[in-house]
Amino acid sequence: MPRPTSPDVACWVLKSTRLPGALAPGWQPGATTDLARCVRPTYRLELMSAGQPCLLWVSGRDRPGVHALGVLTGAPLPGGDGPTVAVRWTRLAEPVDRADLLADPAAREAEVLRMPAGSNPSWLSAGQYAAVLAHAGVPAPH
């Protein structure tokens, strides 16, 4: 697959092996919190900017899938352990299960599903992002 460019990326996918409550103790469904996520230093960081949508993908055996939707609040910044990106997250009332996305023709080719061990950040096309939003019961942006 060719490198994504800005027009290709409808949503950034930031991964975690930890559930939302472990990332931010007390973070309840429907609540918003600001959290930074570590990202790998790749060309993709040059495509990231404040205001872009993103989602929190939890990988592993315990409820894999989309657990929160968010928006980047800034560009990636260098950090002691590598670059990070700040995100304002809203935890979903119910996660979007990985199996549901694998069964959805619009989402099943998403990079995070094809290469689950890939590094942060991953991305979704407009169609894939719309499918995630539909499964989450969230209206697509206009």
Side-chain angles (χ1 to χ4, degrees), residues 59-83:
S59 55
R61 295 175 197 250
D62 190 10
R63 302 193 76 187
V66 179
H67 286 252
L69 299 175
V71 62
L72 300 179
T73 58
L77 297 172
D81 293 329

Side-chain angles (χ1 to χ4, degrees), residues 48-141:
M48 299 178 90
S49 61
Q52 291 177 311
C54 56
L55 60 83
L56 178 64
W57 180 272
V58 174
S59 55
R61 295 175 197 250
D62 190 10
R63 302 193 76 187
V66 179
H67 286 252
L69 299 175
V71 62
L72 300 179
T73 58
L77 297 172
D81 293 329
T84 61
V85 65
V87 182
R88 176 155 295 132
W89 297 105
T90 301
R91 186 170 172 183
L92 294 174
E94 284 296 321
V96 176
D97 192 79
R98 178 182 185 273
D100 292 339
L101 295 174
L102 280 169
D104 187 322
R108 71 171 54 127
E109 292 301 315
E111 184 178 57
V112 69
L113 295 169
R114 288 183 297 105
M115 301 183 337
S119 64
N120 274 336
S122 186
W123 61 282
L124 297 178
S125 69
Q128 294 161 349
Y129 182 44
V132 168
L133 293 176
H135 282 278
V138 175

